[in-house]
Amino acid sequence: MSDASDEWAASSAATEPVRQIRDENPSRYADLTRDQLATLVPELLLIGQLIDRSGMAWCIAAFGREEMLQIAIEEWAAASPIYTRRMQRALGYAPDVPGQGDVVTVFKGLQLDIGAPPQFMDFRYTVHDPWHGEFRLDHCGALMDVEPMGEDYVRGMCHDIEDPTFDATAIATNPHAQVRPIHRPPRTPADRHPHCAWTVTIDPAHPEPEPVPALAVNELSRAARLELAPIDPADEGLADYRGPLLSDVDFGAFSHSALVRIADEVCLQMHLLDRAFALAVAERVETGDELVRLRRKQLVGIAGLGAERLARALDLPHDTAGALRTLWLHPLLNPAAYVPASGGAGSITVAPGPADEDGAWISLCGPHWPDALRAIAGAVSPHLDARVTEAPGAGWRVEVVAGEVRPEAEEVAVTRFSTGASFAFEPRRSIPITPV
């Protein structure tokens, strides 16, 4: 590790489990309706996928394309095994014997993974038996983003990154799972559909891959160990994802309680991914200041674009109240058990908590650096800005104020390069998938 890496990892490692104080930190998503939550969850999944569109451009500028690829590999491989198992436990489809899940378990995890947001990454699944399956991507939004950049970038994503990171996700379910390509880009012919196709095979003869070292570090984080309120099985609607694999997850079929938990888990996925990103970047910088600079550029981009998508999806007003509401629901401030905050008359007060101890996004923000909060306000309306001041005791307070039109931050404009910026979800039928 570099000195910057040692310093950052040591300062943000958890020393004890983190438990939600439910009376003080209920989910901020709990006061949304069930319909609003069913709209919110796929939005959060897509926002999580766009984190790389925000961060990797700055890594290319700082380190070059080859190092950017390695950062992406280490980032996803150090995060996805943790959050895949968290979602399995939350929704009741974890293997009866840890580490002995089947291909259906693998596929369910992909459907609830920020690396594979529904429709934008349009996975179609085939199950042959518990140990053999296939998936194809009828549409790959990530491919649409990188194809204009040239074949080297396509090969880097679809070969160099996907080979180790698909396996890293699958082995969270079973260490003997292997994901292998049937075909993949660069596309020949140029309009080939589906965009790619892969097999998933679980065989005890497959050797267990070696995890990236950062995974063990990330597993000690407070985000990895955070305990959230269980889903209420008496709530109307589905409380879990037991049973058959579905062609498309019908989020509207889940109960209000289940959707709240899913939303909180998806936000934790983002924090775990960002933490893994920070660990990978820390290995490649000379100073802590350089690490902070790159992390802040990533945060501003995803803060602004994420806010724009959330406000649009939930039809929030383009005024100060709408901007505060957007901030309240933004992954930057969620889940509530991770980022303690309170809402007052026209402001939000953020208190120190587990996210600060992890060195998470919120630890970058405050009166000394309000840029991410300003990007959220400006995404709701270019007339809006964020004013951040110290709070009595500890923490800080953010208000949204109206004023002159402000230009969009460069970091948000860079992230807007992704087709995910304007992607629109469509209604889908949810059909059980049976072995063929």
Side-chain angles (χ1 to χ4, degrees), residues 85 96 163 190 194 215 341 361-362 366 374 382 434:
R85 295 187 187 107
D96 293 333
D163 283 352
L215 176 61
W361 279 333
I362 202 69
R374 299 184 74 194
T434 55

Side-chain angles (χ1 to χ4, degrees), residues 104-136:
V104 167
T105 312
V106 173
F107 292 162
K108 287 180 178 180
L110 287 172
Q111 290 178 321
L112 296 161
D113 189 318
I114 58 174
Q119 300 183 30
F120 184 70
M121 307 288 288
D122 199 8
F123 282 67
R124 303 290 91 195
Y125 299 100
T126 299
V127 178
H128 297 297
D129 60 49
W131 316 117
H132 301 84
E134 299 174 14
F135 64 80
R136 68 180 192 272

Side-chain angles (χ1 to χ4, degrees), residues 73 76-78 80-81 84-85 162-173 209:
I73 291 167
W76 288 97
S80 67
T84 295
R85 295 187 187 107
E162 295 295 18
D163 283 352
T165 56
F166 268 148
D167 276 355
T169 299
I171 64 172
T173 296

Side-chain angles (χ1 to χ4, degrees), residues 9 20 31 49 105 112 138-139 160 176 192 205 212 223 243 294 332 343 346-347 398:
Q20 178 179 3
D31 63 351
Q49 205 276 340
T105 312
L112 296 161
D138 281 357
H139 175 270
D160 299 339
H176 301 291
R192 183 174 188 175
V212 297
L294 290 170
L332 174 64
S347 67
V398 55

Side-chain angles (χ1 to χ4, degrees), residues 34 231 235-240 246 250 253-256 258-259:
R34 190 173 165 191
I231 295 168
D235 203 5
E236 181 181 356
L238 297 176
D240 55 54
L246 302 173
D250 178 7
F254 283 104
S255 69
H256 182 273
L259 287 167

